[in-house]
Amino acid sequence: MAHPQDSPDSRSTGRRIQWETHGLDVIGDAERKGTPRTLFWPWFGANVSVLGLGYGAFALGFGISFWQALTAGVLGIVVSFLLCGFIAVAGKRGSAPTMVLSRAAYGVRGNRLPSVISWMLTVGWETVLTALATMATATVFSRLGWGGGTETKVVALAVVAALTVVGGVMGFDLIMRLQTWITVITGVLTVVYVGLVADHIHWSTVSAIPAGSAQQFIGALVFMMTGFGLGWANAAADYSRYLPRSSSSRGVIGWTTFGASAAPLLLLVFGLLLAGSSETLSKAIAADPIGALTTILPTWFLVPFAVVAVLGLVGGAVLDIYSSGLALLSAGLRVPRHLAALLDGILMVAGSVYVVFFADSFLTQFMGFLTTLGVPIAAWCGVMLADLALRRRDHDEVDLYRPHGRYGDVPLLPLLLTLGATAVGWGLVTNTSASWLTWQGYLLEPLGLGGRTGAWAYANLGVLVALALAFLGTLLPGRGRVREQEAEAPSPSPNEGVYST
């Protein structure tokens, strides 16, 4: 099978694409090769989507100035992907998927809770990206006069879903080849797009946008974090687990962060300039983030733009469906990896149908989804980062699958900490995207933050608070526990008492 560390040249040769047989199992030393710099390809390919342009409108939608939005975007993107880089180090140290390595903190079966949350988040992202690709295709066809109604959307959804599901089911070999081509094609065509629409930027209009409050800035910052790195943190080690143990940890962190951040940073800047130059365009992006960007293009470039938009979104969706399948297995489903990915694909299609054909506003649904799941995933991230920070040795690979091993079965502290941090976090965010989510924000009034309509209502403090509470709650009392685990002798048998999933 192929590995994420293979060079682009080796991936572009004519060797046959093979079905990946690995699931949650540990990657043996004989299959581990490559260098950290090759992590650039999967991470860049998954984040080069022109959706990054749409984030300019999303950020300005918080009522802040260009410079505030730029600062919030840069900090949110880089810091959140830096967290992914830290978690990616665990992959090369532990040889297993992210949600298996999480068992070191949560216990073998206690880890089912964060695995379910991780699965929900990745399936949600698959749905978002697939729906966006479908809507963008329909918009392009409509502008070309080829029809953009229900029939077009159905065909587009079928094609995008097929590409995503096939990639996820086949596994690493196909995914890594696909990501290389996506990186090159989307990179070139995105540069062409920027050149074609640059004359729509009016700096005088952009610079005149008034500054917002500190609370609005924080809200934009948190939104950028949840929209980028926090949405990938639960999959960060899935693509570094094939690296040799001797690989540089700094290299893993650096190349993961750089590969994932480079494209979004450049696209964000241009997206801010475009959205800030036209209030009409900015509102259109809120309803159809990528399709709206076609309205300022010359007709001859519409088809190439559709190609770059769809490929960029598929690049992210493929990595999501691969990781969501692994998370589903870690949650306790005992089926082969490819069947788990196929099941996720079915759910992805159902969710995309709802977004494309029934949702009134994409942006409100998107923000509601990110905020609601962003809180528990931030709590998991805090526990995971603290646990990794305390460790000085590689994980015991056998005990990651043994309920009675050093990591335990269902330890209560991390689970209670995650639930508690999530409860506090949901009390500090508001969500108006759906009637069944309006119960959030219940702590804003008791804590003197102005309630659900006050200045702090949309700052989404709950994401940051959940991350901090879970991190400190794990770090402070956890040193002795980790030292005891690392003092034990390596597990003697890979078979005795092993938990099969």
Side-chain angles (χ1 to χ4, degrees), residues 253-304:
I253 296 171
W255 283 105
T256 297
T257 306
F258 174 63
S261 300
L265 287 173
L266 295 174
L267 292 169
L268 172 70
V269 173
F270 198 74
L272 286 170
L273 293 171
L274 279 177
S277 299
S278 171
E279 184 177 353
T280 300
L281 177 63
S282 184
K283 290 181 178 178
I285 290 174
D288 184 359
I290 296 181
L293 296 172
T294 67
T295 60
I296 55 177
L297 277 173
T299 303
W300 67 266
F301 193 71
L302 287 176
V303 172

Side-chain angles (χ1 to χ4, degrees), residues 395-416:
H395 294 84
D396 186 284
E397 296 171 352
V398 174
D399 276 355
L400 288 172
Y401 304 85
R402 196 196 307 268
H404 302 295
R406 72 193 67 206
Y407 303 123
D409 190 12
V410 188
L412 291 179
L413 179 59
L415 293 172
L416 294 175

Side-chain angles (χ1 to χ4, degrees), residues 240-410:
S240 58
R241 60 184 175 138
Y242 288 88
L243 289 174
R245 296 181 188 278
S246 59
S247 300
S248 166
S249 295
R250 290 184 179 180
V252 171
I253 296 171
W255 283 105
T256 297
T257 306
F258 174 63
S261 300
L265 287 173
L266 295 174
L267 292 169
L268 172 70
V269 173
F270 198 74
L272 286 170
L273 293 171
L274 279 177
S277 299
S278 171
E279 184 177 353
T280 300
L281 177 63
S282 184
K283 290 181 178 178
I285 290 174
D288 184 359
I290 296 181
L293 296 172
T294 67
T295 60
I296 55 177
L297 277 173
T299 303
W300 67 266
F301 193 71
L302 287 176
V303 172
F305 178 82
V307 171
V308 67
V310 170
L311 284 180
L313 294 167
V314 167
V318 166
L319 263 65
D320 272 320
I321 197 171
Y322 179 81
S323 292
S324 70
L326 294 174
L328 189 56
L329 296 180
S330 183
L333 183 66
R334 301 191 180 190
V335 298
R337 182 200 60 79
H338 63 276
L339 290 182
L342 182 60
L343 174 60
D344 289 348
I346 295 172
L347 294 174
M348 174 192 75
V349 172
S352 298
V353 168
Y354 168 73
V355 173
V356 172
F357 297 102
F358 300 103
D360 295 330
S361 172
F362 173 82
L363 181 58
T364 55
Q365 301 290 332
F366 186 42
M367 292 184 69
F369 160 70
L370 288 177
T371 302
T372 300
L373 287 186
V375 172
I377 209 66
W380 168 85
C381 191
V383 172
M384 184 73 170
L385 288 170
D387 183 77
L388 293 174
L390 290 170
R391 298 193 181 276
R392 299 293 179 266
R393 297 182 180 179
D394 293 343
H395 294 84
D396 186 284
E397 296 171 352
V398 174
D399 276 355
L400 288 172
Y401 304 85
R402 196 196 307 268
H404 302 295
R406 72 193 67 206
Y407 303 123
D409 190 12
V410 188

Side-chain angles (χ1 to χ4, degrees), residues 184-197:
V184 175
I185 295 172
T186 55
V188 171
L189 292 180
T190 300
V191 171
V192 176
Y193 175 88
V194 169
L196 289 173
V197 302

